[in-house]
């Protein structure tokens, strides 16, 4: 909102004439009239006295707003989207410039506006799209230094993509510092960086690492959900979730052991004698497959340490020790195949 419009609005709300306002500020009535008609603007030293006289903040006087709600930002972005089709890129860009001046502290708006302007100058009819580089990157950098980590990541993502397109790989890599080493997207972006530089084998390794670590995340979350379902006594839902863990392990070729293990808690919770026997037998017979992912083409560029057979033997012994636990597996007592499977080993 123009400062003249703001002055007129709050002057009237205060029940003050232009002449009264002029007298209080030590200026002429025509000067106030010119402000309100946007023919001129007050001198900078008058801004604070005007704000005090109208009982408003400087932010309100200058139409500076700290932030907008998510709903308001979504509506603004929808309006921008329509403007590209109706008025073209240049007018939409100028409108966005004015809008951001009105909301200079709303970094979520600034980032989203920058993203849509960045994308549209490539996909729409925009003459000389490079001339907008500097301003769009200024907006990205503003968002990058927001105290909100989510906005920081969004901006870092955008800046990484921008410099990757420009083939400025050193600058693109700099923005990966804003991502945690535990964030799988960091490995993915590094893969893209290596790919663009023609380092294909190294790129494959990064992408494969994302898949490999993704299994660990999915396995952990789905297993936790299954455990929660068991505590809620919802065995059907727990079985469904454990089935999803099995499917993920199968799809990502993590070995038979990792496919069978999710069902152990389910059969134990239901005290399913036949089911427990089958799952435990599969586990004991397939301990050696725990590292079968090393044979998968999905991870052929990754480097793994050599398998220590003693570790596998130790895992098997620990399993047997656990399965002999009468407190947990007491319901299996007297089941002849179980006695043979567990106690004869």
């Amino acid at each position: 909102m123009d400062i003249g419009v703001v002055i007129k609005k709050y002057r009237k709300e205060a029940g003050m004439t232009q002449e009264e306002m002029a007298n209080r500020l030590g200026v002429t009535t025509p000067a106030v009239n010119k402000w309100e008609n946007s023919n001129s603007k007050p001198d900078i030293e008058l801004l604070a006295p005007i704000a005090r006289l109208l009982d408003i903040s400087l932010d309100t006087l200058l139409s500076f707003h700290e932030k907008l709600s998510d709903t308001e930002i979504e509506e603004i972005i929808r309006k921008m989207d329509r403007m590209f089709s109706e008025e073209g890129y240049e007018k939409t860009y100028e409108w966005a410039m004015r809008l951001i001046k009105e909301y200079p502290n709303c970094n979520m708006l600034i980032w989203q506006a920058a993203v849509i302007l960045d994308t549209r100058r490539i996909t729409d009819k925009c003459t000389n799209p490079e001339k907008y580089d500097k301003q769009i990157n200024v907006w990205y950098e503003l968002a990058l230094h927001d105290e909100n980590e989510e906005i920081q990541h969004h901006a870092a993502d955008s800046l990484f993509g921008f410099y990757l397109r420009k083939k400025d790989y050193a600058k693109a890599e700099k923005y990966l510092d804003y991502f945690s080493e535990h964030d799988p997207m960091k490995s993915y972006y590094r893969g893209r960086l290596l790919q663009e530089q023609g380092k294909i084998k190294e790129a494959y390794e990064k992408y494969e690492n994302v898949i490999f670590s993704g299994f660990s995340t999915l396995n952990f979350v789905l297993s936790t959900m299954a455990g929660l379902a068991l505590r809620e006594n919802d065995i059907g839902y727990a079985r469904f979730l454990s089935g999803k863990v099995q499917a993920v392990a199968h799809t990502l070729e993590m070995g038979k052991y990792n496919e069978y293990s999710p069902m152990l808690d389910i059969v134990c919770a239901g005290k399913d004698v036949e089911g427990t026997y089958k799952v435990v037998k599969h586990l004991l017979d397939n301990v050696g497959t725990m590292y079968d992912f090393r044979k998968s083409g999905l991870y052929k560029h990754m480097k793994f340490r050599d398998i220590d057979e003693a570790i596998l033997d130790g895992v098997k012994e620990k399993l047997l020790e656990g399965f002999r636990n009468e407190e947990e597996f007491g319901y299996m007592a007297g089941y002849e195949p179980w006695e043979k499977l567990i106690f004869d080993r």
Side-chain angles (χ1 to χ4, degrees):
M1 190 184 295
D2 185 84
I3 190 171
V5 176
V6 176
I7 290 172
K8 185 176 182 178
K9 175 179 183 293
Y10 287 99
R11 175 184 62 77
K12 286 188 171 184
E13 285 185 7
M16 197 184 308
T17 66
Q18 287 185 345
E19 184 178 3
E20 287 172 330
M21 184 174 188
N23 290 337
R24 287 172 181 266
L25 294 171
V27 298
T28 64
T29 303
V32 175
N33 184 267
K34 285 181 180 179
W35 299 342
E36 294 187 356
N37 288 300
S38 301
N39 293 322
S40 68
K41 296 188 186 301
D43 292 336
I44 192 167
E45 64 268 18
L46 284 172
L47 295 180
I50 290 171
R52 285 195 294 269
L53 178 62
L54 299 176
D55 195 24
I56 58 176
S57 68
L58 276 172
D59 279 351
T60 301
L61 178 63
L62 299 173
S63 293
F64 284 175
H65 303 278
E66 288 297 318
K67 60 183 178 178
L68 292 162
S69 68
D70 290 343
T71 302
E72 288 172 321
I73 292 173
E74 287 172 11
E75 182 54 40
I76 287 170
I77 296 304
R78 280 196 292 270
K79 181 177 180 179
M80 278 185 72
D81 206 37
R82 292 192 299 269
M83 286 181 70
F84 284 114
S85 302
E86 297 167 1
E87 301 188 39
Y89 188 92
E90 185 66 33
K91 286 188 177 180
T92 307
Y93 173 83
E94 291 171 357
W95 177 81
M97 284 278 288
R98 293 192 297 272
L99 184 71
I100 289 172
K101 285 179 181 177
E102 188 174 344
Y103 296 96
N105 299 315
C106 187
N107 286 328
M108 181 58 86
L109 170 67
I110 291 171
W111 169 71
Q112 290 200 35
V115 166
I116 195 170
L117 287 165
D118 196 5
T119 304
R120 286 289 195 151
R121 66 185 173 139
I122 298 169
T123 58
D124 287 7
K125 294 177 181 178
C126 173
T127 57
N128 192 18
E130 288 79 12
K131 80 174 186 177
Y132 302 101
D133 282 358
K134 183 177 179 181
Q135 184 58 66
I136 287 174
N137 275 18
V138 165
W139 288 330
Y140 282 151
E141 289 286 349
L142 283 172
L144 186 69
H145 295 97
D146 193 271
E147 60 184 19
N148 185 313
E149 195 173 286
E150 180 186 359
I151 297 175
Q152 285 181 24
H153 283 184
H154 286 323
D157 190 335
S158 299
L159 284 160
F160 172 82
F162 172 81
Y163 285 111
L164 195 66
R165 292 197 307 269
K166 294 290 184 182
K167 301 189 184 302
D168 190 337
Y169 304 126
K171 279 192 177 179
E173 188 168 17
K174 180 180 79 170
Y175 294 103
L176 293 182
D177 291 340
Y178 286 85
F179 293 85
S180 165
E181 289 297 331
H182 304 292
D183 187 343
M185 289 307 294
K186 190 165 190 173
S187 283
Y188 171 72
Y189 286 142
R190 280 183 173 152
R192 285 184 60 192
L193 197 57
L194 290 163
Q195 180 181 332
E196 289 294 322
Q197 295 175 82
K199 300 175 182 179
I200 304 304
K201 185 177 179 181
E202 293 93 332
Y204 271 128
E205 184 180 0
K206 293 298 180 186
Y207 294 146
E208 290 168 9
N209 187 64
V210 176
I211 297 171
F212 191 77
S213 61
F215 168 74
S216 298
T217 302
L218 285 171
N219 180 58
F220 179 75
V221 174
L222 286 168
S223 297
T224 301
M225 291 172 67
L228 177 60
L230 286 177
R231 286 199 295 276
E232 295 293 313
N233 203 31
D234 191 345
I235 294 179
Y237 186 44
R239 184 180 293 276
F240 166 78
L241 291 166
S242 295
K244 293 302 179 185
V245 180
Q246 286 185 306
V248 171
H250 177 75
T251 300
L252 299 185
E253 301 183 15
M254 300 306 294
K256 291 292 184 184
Y257 182 89
N258 289 306
E259 289 184 40
Y260 291 125
S261 59
M263 280 297 171
L264 183 59
D265 287 342
I266 308 301
V267 292
C268 287
K271 299 192 183 306
D272 179 351
V273 174
E274 272 296 325
T276 301
Y277 172 77
K278 288 178 181 177
V279 171
V280 170
K281 186 174 189 310
H282 281 313
L283 290 178
L284 291 173
D285 290 347
N286 288 281
V287 168
T289 71
M290 287 180 69
Y291 297 99
D292 271 11
F293 53 79
R294 295 161 57 96
K295 305 172 187 176
S296 169
L298 276 174
Y299 316 108
K300 69 178 184 178
H301 297 90
M302 290 181 68
K303 300 175 182 66
F304 297 105
R305 288 179 296 191
D306 291 336
I307 299 173
D308 185 346
E309 294 295 334
I311 291 178
L312 293 178
D313 290 340
V315 169
K316 195 167 186 177
E317 284 306 312
K318 207 160 189 177
L319 283 173
L320 285 168
E321 184 181 334
F323 296 145
R324 292 184 184 115
N325 185 335
E326 291 185 9
E327 184 177 338
E328 188 172 352
F329 291 95
Y331 65 94
M332 298 297 294
Y335 184 66
E336 188 175 339
W338 175 262
E339 304 286 336
K340 186 173 179 60
L341 177 68
I342 303 300
F343 296 99
D344 289 358
R345 294 200 182 207

